[in-house]
Amino acid sequence: MALSVSDVDRFERARPRLEAIAYRLLGSASEAEDAVQETFLRWQAADVGRIEVPEAWLTKVLTNWCLNALTSARARRETYVGRWLPEPLLAGDPMLGPADTAEQRESVSYAVLVLLERLSPGERAVYVLREAFDHTHREIAEILEISEAASQQTYHRAKKHVADGKARTEIDGAAARKIVEEFLAAATTGRTEPLVRLLTQDAVSVGDGGGKVLARAKAFEGALAVATFLRGLFKPSAAKRAHVGGAPEIYATTANGGPAVVAVVDGRVVAITCLEVTADGIAAVRSQVNPDKLVRATGQWAATDHGEGPLHTL
């Protein structure tokens, strides 16, 4: 059935919210775009005039498509080369969605996206819809076709799993930049001691290369091990430049609302390192170097003013 202009417009008004939901559910911008496109195709095929609450209908279709995708993704990630990490989004990306409340900001933080991977698809859906988009349990029950009581129980279970992760510290953009500047200053001294002082005792570092770029799948654990690895990582070398096709320029920025280090070669983002900050220091250093998961970030980077320029060049 052909859609009217107003029907298409209605979907396009809903698109940013749908993308934000899908990204939180899937941890992948490209998969989120696929989910929204599939939702549009189903909207196009539906008898739109008989849909009483289009926004609710679209949310239900999208969420259930994402649940199926998450089930398939679990199987795919068993054969994924190395460690799978979510796709980071740079500041200003509309797919980050609403950020009016602390709950909304935390729900899209990189640390929480990593933690959400531990949840079942159903737990993840309930958590995202309740925590980030303020759906009532009645609405969630209708979307997922479960009881309100089941929605409440699932939410409390999911929230506990997320809360059991490290306690994070919410920081603003200026504070995030200061943290990255201190981190880079320490990482580029060629010594481990300055980095150790910034890290928590049980700090971890891990990377996702997707089998396309060299990245250590097994996490470095402990402040000294992480600091030793980072000291080498940020040491300039001809081999590094040959590997990425030029001299990476290192910038301080934010990704998923938190402090991040971005490496750029000729306008192409080649790495995003997200820092998980707690009251005790930097608890996790997670690097996304899989080029497939940096395409959107490269586009966002090209559309952004970077002010003072790079802090360092490798």
Side-chain angles (χ1 to χ4, degrees), residues 118-196:
R118 302 178 185 178
L119 304 182
S120 70
E123 288 173 337
R124 188 165 184 164
V126 172
Y127 180 86
V128 166
L129 292 171
R130 180 75 184 126
E131 195 79 355
F133 296 92
D134 204 28
H135 279 278
T136 66
H137 285 292
R138 175 176 292 182
E139 291 169 338
I140 295 170
E142 291 175 355
I143 290 169
L144 300 179
E145 297 182 354
I146 58 177
S147 68
E148 283 188 60
S151 176
Q152 291 169 344
Q153 292 167 2
T154 302
Y155 172 68
H156 291 306
R157 188 167 60 246
K159 191 167 185 177
K160 183 180 184 304
H161 286 320
V162 173
D164 283 344
K166 291 183 180 296
R168 291 158 295 280
T169 301
E170 189 172 7
I171 53 179
D172 61 23
R177 181 178 177 86
K178 187 173 186 297
I179 289 168
V180 176
E181 288 173 347
E182 291 177 355
F183 173 80
L184 284 175
T188 55
T189 60
R191 297 182 293 117
T192 58
E193 294 84 356
L195 274 168
V196 169

Side-chain angles (χ1 to χ4, degrees), residues 194-209:
L195 274 168
V196 169
R197 288 195 291 269
L198 292 178
L199 300 167
T200 61
Q201 288 186 347
D202 60 347
V204 297
S205 177
V206 68
D208 175 354

Side-chain angles (χ1 to χ4, degrees), residues 38-73:
E38 182 63 29
T39 302
F40 176 74
L41 292 176
R42 296 189 185 187
W43 173 252
Q44 194 174 39
D47 185 353
V48 173
R50 301 187 66 178
I51 297 174
E52 294 182 8
V53 186
E55 288 73 15
W57 187 92
L58 292 169
T59 301
K60 180 171 184 172
V61 169
L62 175 89
T63 301
N64 283 284
W65 192 95
C66 288
L67 284 174
N68 290 332
L70 278 172
T71 302
S72 300

Side-chain angles (χ1 to χ4, degrees), residues 2-9:
L3 293 177
S4 68
V5 172
S6 63
D7 292 334
V8 174
D9 286 345

